[in-house]
Amino acid sequence: MLVVMGGTDAAGLLPAVVRALDAVGVPAEVDVVVPAGRGLDIPDTGPARFRAIAPLSDLPAAMARADLVISAAGTTVWELCCVGVAMALVRAADNQTEGYRAVVEAGAGLGLGGPADVADATSTADTLRPLLTDPGVRAGFAARARTVVDGRGAERIVEAVAAAVGARGRGNTVTARPATEADAGLLLAWRNDPETRRWSRTSEEVRPEEHRAWLRRSLDRTDRLLLVVADDTGPVGTVRWDREDDDWEVSITVAPDRRGSGLAGPLLTAGEHALRERTGPGTPVIAVVHADNVASARLFARAGYRPAGPADDDGFATHRRILP
């Protein structure tokens, strides 16, 4: 096990975390990263064996070797997600709140709360005990952690640098990637936008817990492909494909703050490209559009979709094409 509370441990969390681990009362080998110039009283009783070590030159490598990492919820969190290791997090400062919440809500890390929470050794020990005693629990957290990051960090940096020096003469690049559980908040906000619900076959507002359950099920399905589409400035919408007999039905949502930017067509194109990569050319695709939604009807007509029959009693008509 590895315990690290940042380069300085400004909140003085290490002693509290060590006391909690000692109170768990299970055998464990625990390396505690102690900042330079700081001391730490190491318990010499109980089944856990603690070792104080100096700050590491390759912290991610040490994380990868650990079964469990207890860390402050700073930027180390994203390294832990990338490595894919079980983690328990302490919200050491206010500026760590967003990252802490995102990872804990995604089920990718166990939340221990803030400094005041960790000071209660008995309560913290009770929270940590399942992670220390059950390899299956640790494996589940590690697997979910890997879904929080998408590996596009270097690409985003290149895009940001290109934008900063004005290297955008070749136009705005729109690309699609598979959605992850980390996209839950973004997708829910788009789904519950009033204009989106107006043209949806299901117009009721979705509650967060319902959405998270739906997203988890969607990511596990082989007959659904859920995509997040982004351009040079960030996410611009989502495309979802659902298998309906021999057809794949498309649903498109443009981010509310990007409507009117001419992005619906590029979203559809990026979504079709992603589906073609999965299913191959010759895939039949359909779009179900309300008769009053003139903009969507024009979009699919321009993309080569043709009416496949009259509208149903609710005013929705099916349009079909074959992906080349």
Side-chain angles (χ1 to χ4, degrees):
M1 188 186 311
L2 181 67
V3 178
V4 55
M5 291 293 147
T8 63
D9 186 25
L13 296 168
L14 284 176
V17 172
V18 167
R19 285 195 299 271
L21 287 171
D22 192 41
V24 173
V26 300
E29 294 183 358
V30 187
D31 283 345
V32 184
V33 179
V34 180
R38 300 285 295 273
L40 181 67
D41 291 331
I42 298 295
D44 57 4
T45 59
R49 291 183 293 176
F50 295 90
R51 182 177 66 147
I53 62 174
L56 301 166
S57 59
D58 192 350
L59 184 58
M63 293 182 209
R65 292 191 294 269
D67 294 313
L68 171 65
V69 176
I70 302 178
S71 172
T75 55
T76 301
V77 166
W78 312 119
E79 295 175 318
L80 287 164
C81 289
C82 185
V83 170
V85 64
M87 70 183 95
L89 301 176
V90 182
R91 191 182 62 255
D94 289 343
N95 64 1
Q96 297 180 358
T97 299
E98 289 303 317
Y100 174 92
R101 184 168 59 229
V103 172
V104 172
E105 288 184 354
L110 178 68
L112 299 177
D117 302 300
V118 178
D120 185 338
T122 301
S123 176
T124 303
D126 290 341
T127 303
L128 282 169
R129 189 167 285 109
L131 268 181
L132 272 70
T133 58
D134 191 334
V137 172
R138 293 196 298 272
F141 275 106
R144 289 188 291 272
R146 285 188 286 268
T147 71
V148 172
V149 295
D150 61 13
R152 295 185 62 244
E155 180 180 338
R156 291 191 183 94
I157 292 172
V158 171
E159 290 173 353
V161 172
V165 299
R168 305 177 77 176
R170 287 176 291 181
N172 199 9
T173 302
V174 176
T175 57
R177 62 166 176 83
T180 70
E181 289 191 27
D183 298 309
L186 184 66
L187 293 173
L188 179 61
W190 291 345
R191 168 61 182 82
N192 280 342
D193 175 75
E195 186 66 12
T196 300
R197 289 189 285 116
R198 177 188 176 193
W199 299 114
S200 174
R201 281 183 286 184
T202 305
S203 59
E204 293 81 10
E205 188 166 342
V206 178
R207 298 197 305 270
E209 59 272 19
E210 293 174 337
H211 177 73
R212 285 192 293 269
W214 173 87
L215 180 57
R216 285 192 292 269
R217 292 193 302 270
S218 294
L219 298 180
D220 289 336
R221 289 174 55 172
T222 58
D223 61 347
R224 172 170 290 168
L225 177 60
L226 183 62
L227 305 164
V228 173
V229 183
D231 69 0
D232 297 344
T233 63
V236 297
T238 180
V239 177
R240 189 183 82 231
W241 295 99
D242 289 295
R243 183 72 180 264
E244 299 288 343
D245 297 323
D246 294 330
D247 301 316
W248 286 83
E249 181 181 345
V250 65
S251 300
I252 297 175
T253 301
V254 178
D257 62 341
R258 299 300 299 274
R259 291 193 184 113
S261 302
L263 286 166
L267 254 74
L268 177 58
T269 300
E272 288 179 341
H273 178 74
L275 179 65
R276 188 185 297 111
E277 287 186 339
R278 172 181 283 196
T279 62
T283 299
V285 293
I286 59 174
V288 180
V289 182
H290 195 275
D292 294 337
N293 194 344
V294 177
S296 288
R298 288 175 178 170
L299 164 69
F300 290 108
R302 287 195 300 268
Y305 289 70
R306 297 294 178 259
D312 62 20
D313 293 341
D314 294 323
F316 287 93
T318 298
H319 305 254
R320 178 177 282 109
R321 76 174 293 221
I322 303 297
L323 293 184

